[in-house]
Amino acid sequence: PLDLMGIRFNGDGSLSLRKRIFRRARRAMKRCNKHADVRKSRRIVSYNGWIRRAELWWMVNSYEWKCVMKSAKLSIRYEQKRINSRETA
């Protein structure tokens, strides 16, 4: 398979992630489930691009990726609002 920027293009036309990137995304998701601080949340949101572009819909469904993404985005949003209010005051 052809490998370009972490996404593998298989001969049958399907896309997949490198094993290392997949493992890191899965571990980050599990850690964000337990304690969702801003740093972990940003990491989860960045992995979302990899997950969406590769054909990993089974991962989204089985690991409840959407629920984790929602909580990660909320924590980032609240942190950014807190920083912005501190800068304007």
Side-chain angles (χ1 to χ4, degrees):
L2 177 66
D3 189 342
L4 183 66
M5 295 176 16
I7 296 180
R8 292 184 343 196
F9 298 91
N10 300 322
D12 59 352
S14 64
L15 303 173
S16 60
L17 283 179
R18 288 182 191 159
K19 288 180 188 178
R20 187 174 179 181
I21 294 172
F22 173 76
R23 287 184 193 139
R24 286 182 178 181
R26 187 180 62 202
R27 287 181 193 141
M29 190 271 310
K30 286 183 179 181
R31 290 178 185 141
C32 194
N33 259 347
K34 296 176 184 173
H35 308 287
D37 64 341
V38 177
R39 184 175 181 194
K40 291 177 186 174
S41 297
R42 287 185 177 152
R43 189 172 179 196
I44 286 290
V45 171
S46 69
Y47 279 123
N48 188 39
W50 293 101
I51 300 300
R52 283 189 339 205
R53 279 159 186 77
E55 295 172 354
L56 294 176
W57 295 111
W58 60 270
M59 181 181 174
V60 171
N61 294 332
S62 65
Y63 290 110
E64 299 171 0
W65 190 263
K66 291 180 184 178
C67 182
V68 174
M69 280 299 303
K70 186 176 180 179
S71 65
K73 287 180 181 180
L74 279 174
S75 67
I76 293 170
R77 185 179 305 139
Y78 290 136
E79 178 66 19
Q80 195 60 43
K81 282 183 180 181
R82 189 178 67 82
I83 291 171
N84 289 344
S85 68
R86 206 178 335 147
E87 288 176 356
T88 59

